[in-house]
Amino acid sequence: MPSSLKKIRIGVIGTSEPDARLYRIAEEVGREIARRDGVLICGGLGGVMEAAAKGAQQKGGLTIGILPTEDTSLANPYIDIPIATGIGEARNIIIVRSAEALIAIGKGFGTLSEISFALKMKKPLVGIETWDVSSQILSADKPSEAVEKAIKLAEEAK
């Protein structure tokens, strides 16, 4: 089995319009995922998705972007593998289904939909300054803590 298939897949979901502080947090989450040899899965566009992918690439991590459009050229420049779906926001289900655990950063209605799908699918979910809609969302204060919790939960779920 190729080594990339053995790596843990962490989905990063979050606002498409983060402030500078949340952008830095998302970047650090991406770096932490790469440091732990994980694969980052996100929506492939801007905001938290771009920041996390940028951070992961800085540390040599693999990034996958599940795009809402049919045009892979719309992926942010830090996506290694753009997957064009052409299904709009319905691609949120693919992001959640493909991840072994998810980290939600910030708030936004797209993020809320992904959180809902994660809860429904019983996916491990860690949040940093995100929607407080369920006790099943574990809170984290720092990027390293969020990634550590997400990996632990994903491994326990196997």
Side-chain angles (χ1 to χ4, degrees):
M1 180 182 298
S3 63
S4 63
L5 294 179
K6 296 176 188 174
K7 296 179 180 188
I8 193 154
R9 297 176 315 277
I10 304 293
V12 176
I13 57 178
T15 179
S16 59
E17 298 178 357
D19 61 21
R21 190 178 60 75
L22 275 182
Y23 190 94
R24 287 190 303 276
I25 287 170
E27 262 187 293
E28 185 59 27
V29 164
R31 284 192 287 272
E32 289 293 327
I33 291 170
R35 279 188 194 112
R36 290 168 167 80
D37 204 28
V39 174
L40 185 142
I41 298 173
C42 68
L45 298 177
V48 162
M49 299 170 280
E50 177 182 294
K54 179 180 180 182
Q57 264 202 358
Q58 288 171 345
K59 292 296 178 186
L62 178 64
T63 62
I64 300 171
I66 311 295
L67 302 169
T69 67
E70 295 178 4
D71 186 354
T72 58
S73 72
L74 297 178
N76 73 62
Y78 309 106
I79 295 298
D80 296 311
I81 302 172
I83 298 175
T85 67
I87 59 173
E89 292 167 349
R91 65 75 148 90
N92 292 354
I93 295 171
I94 297 170
I95 295 165
V96 173
R97 180 69 70 196
S98 299
E100 294 173 87
L102 294 112
I103 299 172
I105 303 169
K107 296 180 179 178
F109 293 122
T111 309
L112 183 58
S113 79
E114 290 164 319
I115 287 171
S116 297
F117 292 132
L119 293 171
K120 184 166 178 64
M121 293 178 204
K122 299 187 181 344
K123 293 283 185 158
L125 182 58
V126 180
I128 299 176
E129 297 182 34
T130 194
W131 296 95
D132 184 17
V133 295
S134 171
S135 62
Q136 295 174 36
I137 302 171
L138 295 184
S139 182
D141 294 321
K142 300 184 305 187
S144 58
E145 177 189 5
V147 175
E148 186 175 314
K149 285 181 177 182
I151 289 172
K152 182 179 181 211
L153 290 168
E155 288 173 346
E156 289 173 358
K158 286 184 178 180

